[in-house]
Amino acid sequence: MDVYCGSSPSGGWPCRQTHPAAQVSASDARKSLHDNSSMSLAETWAAGCVWRHGQPPLGDDPQYTSIGQNLFATTSSSVNLTGAIQSWYDENAYYSYETLACADGQMCGHYTQVVWATSRHVGCAYHPCQPLRGSFSKATYLVCNYGPAGNYAGAKPYTKGAACSQCGSGAGWCSKDGLCNGECTAASDECSCAAHCYNCATLDQHATCRCSCADGWRAADCSVPCEDTHRHCGVSPGWPDSSWCREDYVRRGCPAMCQLCTPDPDAEPDKCPPIYGPGAHFSTATSFIGVHQVSLVSAMVVLSLTISSDALYRLSK
């Protein structure tokens, strides 16, 4: 049996199997949710039986205009979805978090997309192909779409730190497996307030699980100075005033100009002790394979399932 990941002009490369899984602690990893729109696009692309990345037309009002994608193919008449995602994750052995680069001659983009913290929706589909053009004469073809896309040049796939301490939503609601959960609105068996609040911030641990930053600080945990970091902020030519703040990239580089925080030149770090939510995590190592990977597979409504070729045919019609 041959198993291939991704796409290339020569038809792909064998999936690498490496163990053990890297141990990391991500402060902003999200719980992945199944998305029908992403799955529908994946179904259409898989049924086209072409071994390359791409998307069918997105329609007039797409949920995401930028969609990440991982591909998997096997000459077997069945596909193990957990194993396919594991093969993408196993590229972590070739990725450097510090340099954002793959090892020479190796692939790691499937891994980074799988663990990309801000990709919160996933939709996957598979199709029997005879042939899978550009690859095998007969194959089972799996396509997974991620929205919004990850793998932005110069960006890290996740932020190292205590679980759920820097969730993208700004709230520190955390699932019991240590992933940011934007569906939580109050503490429960499935949701706990795991916020970390620094630099004299206050915490509403009951209603919102959000830190309110003191002047001079910003970010979900109030650990980042409130200052503009891009050379184009407030200058001409560049982004001379707040009218530019409708653009995401301007808000990221110019939080003070965009009034996303209140500057204070006299702000001192660590002037006050941190405040923690009752569900705060302090572990320095959490295995993504034990949380984010299971979240992805669960989002596909499959935990560990091998599907026969007949079932594949029926499900993909």
Side-chain angles (χ1 to χ4, degrees):
M1 179 186 71
D2 294 322
V3 177
Y4 278 70
C5 296
S7 65
S8 75
S10 60
W13 49 89
C15 299
R16 307 301 205 268
Q17 299 296 326
T18 58
H19 297 280
Q23 299 291 310
V24 296
S25 181
S27 62
D28 54 353
R30 291 185 181 184
K31 186 177 181 68
S32 297
L33 303 174
H34 170 75
D35 178 58
N36 286 329
S37 174
S38 298
M39 183 183 68
S40 179
L41 292 170
E43 287 176 341
T44 301
W45 192 255
C49 292
V50 177
W51 182 243
R52 62 179 174 85
H53 288 294
Q55 298 290 344
L58 301 181
D60 295 333
D61 187 24
Q63 181 176 11
Y64 300 112
T65 56
S66 178
I67 301 172
Q69 185 180 75
N70 280 347
L71 307 178
F72 179 93
T74 174
T75 55
S76 173
S77 59
S78 61
V79 58
N80 185 296
L81 300 181
T82 305
I85 296 175
Q86 177 72 56
S87 71
W88 295 329
Y89 181 89
D90 282 344
E91 292 178 359
N92 73 81
Y94 307 114
Y95 177 70
S96 170
Y97 183 87
E98 286 70 30
T99 66
L100 311 182
C102 304
D104 289 345
Q106 303 293 345
M107 299 298 301
C108 61
H110 304 94
Y111 160 72
T112 52
Q113 177 59 84
V114 165
V115 301
W116 202 269
T118 57
S119 294
R120 64 190 185 94
H121 283 136
V122 59
C124 298
Y126 32 78
H127 194 87
C129 294
Q130 298 188 56
L132 177 55
R133 293 191 296 278
S135 183
F136 302 120
S137 60
K138 181 179 180 180
T140 301
Y141 188 25
L142 172 68
V143 177
C144 284
N145 286 334
Y146 302 82
N151 287 354
Y152 286 103
K156 294 184 182 295
Y158 55 85
T159 304
K160 289 183 178 180
C164 303
S165 62
Q166 298 186 63
C167 298
S169 67
W173 293 118
C174 204
S175 63
K176 59 184 179 182
D177 49 11
L179 296 172
C180 298
N181 191 344
E183 296 191 314
C184 297
T185 57
S188 68
D189 291 341
E190 298 295 325
C191 303
S192 63
C193 181
H196 291 219
C197 303
Y198 299 100
N199 298 311
C200 304
T202 59
L203 170 63
D204 182 348
Q205 68 181 46
H206 301 293
T208 66
C209 190
R210 290 176 181 269
C211 304
S212 295
C213 297
D215 289 355
W217 303 98
R218 66 178 183 89
D221 61 357
C222 304
S223 65
V224 180
C226 176
E227 56 188 25
D228 294 336
T229 58
H230 200 284
R231 60 188 178 87
H232 287 166
C233 301
V235 300
S236 182
W239 310 322
D241 55 49
S242 61
S243 65
W244 285 84
C245 293
R246 61 182 180 274
E247 304 292 347
D248 287 341
Y249 59 87
V250 176
R251 291 196 296 272
R252 287 195 298 268
C254 311
M257 184 185 80
C258 293
Q259 300 181 2
L260 301 179
C261 56
T262 303
D264 181 357
D266 298 321
E268 299 179 15
D270 304 320
K271 186 177 181 180
C272 306
I275 299 174
Y276 303 110
H281 295 257
F282 300 97
S283 172
T284 58
T286 300
S287 173
F288 256 127
I289 202 62
V291 288
H292 200 265
Q293 290 297 89
V294 171
S295 171
L296 282 170
V297 178
S298 299
M300 295 191 296
V301 202
V302 179
L303 186 57
S304 182
L305 178 65
T306 300
I307 304 174
S308 71
S309 56
D310 287 343
L312 277 171
Y313 179 75
R314 288 195 299 270
L315 287 170
S316 61
K317 282 178 70 69

